[in-house]
Amino acid sequence: MPLSLLAPDPATPCTDTDQICQWLYNVTDSAWLADGGYYLLIKPIRIIVIIVVALIARSLLNHTINKIVARTAQGKVPTMLRPIRVPVAVLNSGSMFPERRRQRAEAIGSVLKSMVTVGVFSVAFLIVLSEFDVNVGPLIASLGIVGVALGFGAQSLVKDLIAGLFMLLEDQYGVGDVIDTGEAVGVVESVGLRTVTIRDGRGVIWYVRNGEIIRIGNKSQGWATVMIDVPIGFVGVEDATAVLRQAVDAFANDPEWSADFVEPPQVLGVENISVDGAVIRTVCKTSADRQWDLQREMRRRLTEALEASGIAAQMQAARAMRTAVPADEPTAP
């Protein structure tokens, strides 16, 4: 650049130390352009640099979050996305249900990316305002007041989001779990920050807000106890107990079902006595995802065992004798 372009000109509106103004005046020969050169050239460049830096920072942070989410979906769960309370089923199996793991990771990743976007662009916006000599102190205070007002006005939404976030962090339930929320009982089909979608046994879809859930019963985490009460009427308790124990022992040793038992099944004995006779309870501990299949199979085997031993016929005969009305019994007037 020629030195003459930077040499001060007494006729210019610039000061001796303002080289940018002097350079613009020497190039354009325009006093108003030289006078406003700082705001027409330097300020826009600085604002563009701030925006570009914010975009780059947001992109890098989102890329890091995407990599973490991808690793989590593949089973490599980093420390920041591990649940605060690890379910027993996860400890036993070493992994989580794939769809549940993927959806949980994506939900947490979406929250993190939203927080990054809001944080980065909020800081960039305040820096841009400061470039225009705007006092950002009162603005920050005003935004804080507006945030408090919105928080009071949208309490239910904030409550749902906070409850959903803690639900994800604590891994209270996930896709594929069978949960009981009080009103709705069924299989979790999707999990979000605001609502959870449940399909009950009749196929009805329930959309339950996270903030309205007071208590959760998860039937799919860890192990489950199957309890079956078998009424035997007034037949011999010892005979019926022996038959049931033989049936559950054969069931536990069946190669097709033995892997589903956490502990061997037990026949506890008489659980209840009513006008219809005694009730014998049988319990077993199994994995949570197999409890219903195992329960149905055990009921079938116990029923067949009672029928094969003749106890079922004795129960029916005793019930028929109790319900039969003698022919010579006088009828009520």
Side-chain angles (χ1 to χ4, degrees), residues 156 159-161 163-164 167 173 179-200 204-217:
S156 61
K159 181 180 178 182
D160 295 339
L161 295 177
M167 179 275 301
Y173 51 84
I179 65 174
D180 181 356
T181 63
E183 291 291 334
V185 180
V187 180
V188 177
E189 292 203 341
S190 66
V191 175
L193 280 178
R194 198 180 70 86
T195 61
V196 56
T197 304
I198 303 173
R199 185 181 296 273
D200 64 14
V204 179
I205 292 289
W206 294 79
Y207 298 94
V208 183
R209 289 167 44 194
N210 292 322
E212 297 298 322
I213 300 177
I214 300 177
R215 52 90 173 168
I216 283 286

Side-chain angles (χ1 to χ4, degrees), residues 56-83:
I56 294 174
R58 175 179 174 270
S59 178
L60 292 175
L61 292 174
N62 285 345
H63 179 69
T64 303
I65 294 173
N66 289 334
K67 290 182 63 177
I68 295 174
V69 170
R71 291 184 57 193
T72 305
Q74 295 174 0
K76 304 175 182 179
V77 184
T79 303
M80 66 180 299
L81 292 184
R82 288 177 185 170

Side-chain angles (χ1 to χ4, degrees), residues 34 80 82 90 96 100 115-116 184 205 238 242 260 269 284 318 320 325:
M80 66 180 299
R82 288 177 185 170
V90 178
M96 287 189 293
R100 170 179 179 171
M115 293 173 61
V116 165
I205 292 289
E238 293 296 332
D260 297 326
C284 67
V325 179

